Amino acid sequence: MSQELWSQVDGYLAAQYLEQDDLLEQVIREQEARGLPAIQVSPLEGRLLQLLVGAMRAKNVLEIGTLGGYSAILLARALPDDGRVITLELNTKHAEAAQAAFRATGVAHKIDLRPGLALETLPKLRAENHVFDFVFIDADKENNVYYVQQALALSRPGTLIVVDNVIRDGDVMNEASESPMTQGVRRMNDFIKSEPRLMASALQTVGSKGYDGMAFMLVVE
Ligand code: SAH
Ligand code: DHB
Ligand code: MG
């Protein structure tokens, strides 16, 4: 099995399940033109996030890691008119690209981008008494354990927390890994194991983004 095959199958499935979307394709092109890395969720992964948000009738979504706004736009589109996405982004260049993309796709009124370090913004969201139905964690993997802890503090029973990039070509298995990202995911997994309020699973995936996966956590009490 090869990356080429995984990408072809992703392309086939996307052509079957997803509608042609010129606005979104323009967002990707603009992201590239501005020199941002092409590490956004794949179209099918984005649709999975939309299915989850729609299934739970979420209204308040938190995203950690905006990049050029691709996943935030998909999350916003999955929400009702009075739904809101708060998305956190450290990099000013990324935040500017995302704000332009939110305007271009007509979802700016549903998205509140908070610039700065997520670890500094999250306590502010608590002080503002935000409670989120759905949280998507997709930023610096080194801080994943803190992001899950903060997400839990901003949750209610029934909140779903999704974390991207938790497999990393299987490196998550490697306790001696020298990758700070892997060690960040492993610390998160130790926290999940210790935390009875989280019911968790993870899926290993192959596709256009290689061999990786997402973790899913339901806040149960
Ligand atoms: N969710 C996006 C991809 C996010 S890529 C999508 O699928 O479209 C990860 C992003 O997290 C990058 O833009 C990076 O600048 C941002 N990031 C990294 N460290 C951060 C931090 N400490 N606080 C906030 N954002 C951070
Ligand atoms: C990277 C980050 C991501 O969020 C992703 O989905 C893929 C790659 C990275 O930092 O390499
Ligand atoms: Mg990611």
Side-chain angles (χ1 to χ4, degrees):
M1 281 191 295
S2 66
Q3 179 60 60
E4 193 187 350
L5 179 61
W6 302 338
S7 293
Q8 283 171 356
V9 173
D10 251 14
Y12 160 74
L13 292 171
Q16 294 297 117
Y17 296 160
L18 307 179
E19 47 289 334
Q20 172 70 28
D21 196 326
D22 298 337
L23 278 177
L24 263 188
E25 281 172 20
Q26 182 57 35
V27 166
I28 301 293
R29 277 196 299 273
E30 180 67 19
Q31 183 175 288
E32 197 183 339
R34 289 176 184 244
L36 275 56
I39 55 173
Q40 71 280 356
V41 294
S42 74
L44 289 162
E45 288 171 340
R47 173 57 58 85
L48 173 61
L49 298 178
Q50 292 185 303
L51 296 184
L52 295 171
V53 162
M56 60 189 303
R57 304 222 184 285
K59 280 195 172 181
N60 296 298
V61 171
L62 171 64
E63 175 179 73
I64 308 178
T66 316
L67 189 65
Y70 181 78
S71 54
I73 291 165
L74 293 176
L75 290 165
R77 285 179 172 180
L79 297 177
D81 278 343
D82 59 345
R84 289 290 175 276
V85 178
I86 297 182
T87 184
L88 315 186
E89 178 55 56
L90 174 62
N91 184 305
T92 308
K93 193 169 111 177
H94 297 186
E96 282 170 6
Q99 298 282 27
F102 300 155
R103 288 190 294 272
T105 52
V107 292
H109 62 291
K110 290 168 94 174
I111 306 181
D112 176 4
L113 188 154
R114 303 283 182 104
L117 281 166
L119 280 179
E120 291 178 1
T121 309
L122 289 161
K124 292 180 189 158
L125 297 179
R126 283 180 74 182
E128 293 170 22
N129 294 317
H130 286 281
V131 176
F132 295 98
D133 307 308
F134 184 92
V135 182
F136 181 48
I137 298 174
D138 190 20
D140 48 329
K141 320 309 174 192
E142 293 83 344
N143 284 316
N144 269 355
V145 65
Y146 305 113
Y147 295 151
V148 171
Q149 287 167 350
Q150 290 293 320
L152 191 54
L154 288 159
S155 292
R156 53 157 175 93
T159 296
L160 188 62
I161 303 169
V162 178
V163 185
D164 197 19
N165 311 115
V166 300
I167 304 296
R168 287 306 183 128
D169 290 311
D171 196 47
V172 68
M173 277 291 295
N174 179 7
E175 64 180 302
S177 172
E178 284 172 17
S179 159
M181 294 192 197
T182 294
Q183 292 301 344
V185 174
R186 288 180 62 88
R187 282 193 297 277
M188 175 190 81
N189 286 337
D190 289 341
F191 174 70
I192 291 169
K193 183 173 185 175
S194 75
E195 179 47 72
R197 285 177 294 166
L198 291 174
M199 187 170 91
S201 185
L203 287 176
Q204 304 183 64
T205 55
V206 294
S208 58
K209 296 198 67 184
Y211 169 36
D212 209 332
M214 287 189 186
F216 304 86
M217 287 158 243
L218 182 67
V219 178
V220 291
E221 60 184 75

